[in-house]
Amino acid sequence: MEKITTSETATPAVRLSDLTQCPVRDVIDRLGSKWALLILELLAEQPRRFGDLRRNVPDISQRMLTQTLRELQRDGYVHRKVFATVPPSVEYSLTTLGISLKQPLEQLVQWASQHHAVIREARQQFDKTTGAAAPVASIE
């Protein structure tokens, strides 16, 4: 099957010759990070303070939680509200853009749950037939 890459048939955002500008890759890069979906899922339930997020996201360091929240805030998914208290307290919530992700993410989670066993079996079969070792998962 031939790939079509001409400017007449592809929109500027999805030209195969310039995948760095692909909107899907750009969005999935952020949402596919180790912690982003867990944080978005918690914030979809209700606004949360930093400490509450830290308690509810297993094994995340304070540094990584801060970094992930900043990235989600930068992309417009999360709003950060600072309260004038001593010491200052901060609450995170989803923006309108973040709320618009709720249904697609729920569908992805449902699809992954339904197909996870099949995917794991496919991996095992591939590794068995090719002699390939499973890739090592990165930590943070």
Side-chain angles (χ1 to χ4, degrees), residues 107-119:
Q107 291 173 335
L108 177 61
V109 168
Q110 182 180 13
W111 182 90
S113 296
Q114 290 173 347
H115 296 90
H116 191 235
V118 174
I119 293 167

Side-chain angles (χ1 to χ4, degrees), residues 2 5 24 28-29 31-32 43 46 58 65 68 71 79-81 85 93 102 104 106 111 113 118 134-135 138:
E2 184 179 338
T5 60
V24 175
I28 295 299
D29 182 52
L31 296 178
L43 293 176
Q46 65 187 36
L65 178 57
T68 305
E71 290 169 350
H79 173 72
R80 181 179 186 262
K81 181 177 181 179
T85 59
S93 60
K102 188 175 179 182
E106 287 173 352
W111 182 90
S113 296
V118 174
S138 64

Side-chain angles (χ1 to χ4, degrees), residues 42 48-60 65:
L42 286 169
R48 295 182 184 261
R49 296 193 183 225
F50 186 89
D52 186 29
L53 287 168
R54 181 122 189 253
R55 282 187 296 278
N56 284 286
V57 179
D59 303 324
I60 194 168
L65 178 57

Side-chain angles (χ1 to χ4, degrees), residues 24 39 42-43 47 59 70 73 78 82 84 92 109 123 129 136:
V24 175
I39 292 168
L42 286 169
L43 293 176
D59 303 324
R70 284 184 183 152
Q73 185 180 359
V78 170
V82 180
Y92 295 91
V109 168
R123 288 177 186 161
T129 58
V136 177

